[in-house]
Amino acid sequence: MNLIDVTLGSPRLLQRTIGHRYAQDIFQEFTPQVTKYMYPSPPRDISDTVAFIEASLRGLVTGTNLQLVILDGASGDFLGCSGLHGIGGRTPELGIWLKVAAQGKGYGLEAVAAIVAWARARLDFDHLIYPVERDNSRSRAIPEALGGRVEEERVEPTEAGRPQDLVVYWIDRHGA
Ligand SMILES: CC(C)(COP(=O)(O)OP(=O)(O)OC[C@H]1O[C@@H](n2cnc3c(N)ncnc32)[C@H](O)[C@@H]1OP(=O)(O)O)[C@@H](O)C(=O)NCCC(=O)NCCS
């Protein structure tokens, strides 16, 4: 299933598939403050961001990786990135980050809820997973609001080698 044309609308947001036109926004906004609790490190150079976009485009074409950008539905402003990774497997993984200026407005939950609804309507899977660092309470509120529950805990190194204390929420195939 080629995912390149997927668009997800929700009350305040439009999520659409990533493309090279977002390279500058992603490079500028994916800062150390944003990645504090995340696996990846911030890009050192725009070529890191371009490489990420190219890998993401390959995953869209093969249908394994729904990599989206989050835009303001009215203005089209870039707000962040979201995605569903490992499509085709039994436990696809949700991911999200918002630029600092877009945090604290409830966009995170709105974006992830739209992806969960899309997955439930379109995909076959056992459950979605949402791995999150134990101390990242703002992020943990998202799967909790969607009925997720912690089913695994593990420590894994980030890209930079820092041990990450993760809890993994499972979100059911069917809503409550
Ligand atoms: C984690 C993240 C995606 C959470 O998204 P968020 O939308 O900023 O979540 P927040 O908790 O800040 O926003 C919800 C807040 O917005 C408020 N809000 C304002 N308007 C709202 C609206 N219309 N609807 C819902 N909530 C709204 C809520 O009251 C809530 O505030 P509270 O927690 O003080 O009650 C975001 O903080 C982020 O990108 N962090 C950095 C990257 C990261 O850690 N990603 C996750 C890796 S697992």
Side-chain angles (χ1 to χ4, degrees), residues 57-77:
L57 290 170
R58 288 194 290 276
L60 285 167
V61 170
T62 56
T64 54
N65 182 20
L66 180 66
Q67 182 62 56
L68 302 167
V69 291
I70 307 168
L71 307 176
D72 182 301
S75 68
D77 284 352

Side-chain angles (χ1 to χ4, degrees), residues 68-151:
L68 302 167
V69 291
I70 307 168
L71 307 176
D72 182 301
S75 68
D77 284 352
F78 174 86
L79 303 178
C81 286
S82 57
L84 186 64
H85 315 295
I87 294 175
R90 301 312 304 167
T91 61
E93 176 174 332
L94 292 154
I96 178 150
W97 63 268
L98 295 167
K99 65 180 183 182
V100 171
Q103 295 177 8
K105 300 182 165 97
Y107 291 150
L109 175 59
E110 183 175 326
V112 174
I115 298 173
V116 170
W118 176 85
R120 284 176 172 154
R122 302 289 181 113
L123 303 179
D124 182 33
F125 57 88
D126 292 338
H127 51 263
L128 303 179
I129 60 170
Y130 189 108
V132 49
E133 194 142 358
R134 190 181 300 279
D135 293 342
N136 192 353
S137 49
R138 297 191 111 182
S139 181
R140 292 183 64 166
I142 293 174
E144 283 169 11
L146 295 169
R149 52 190 196 283
V150 175
E151 292 281 353

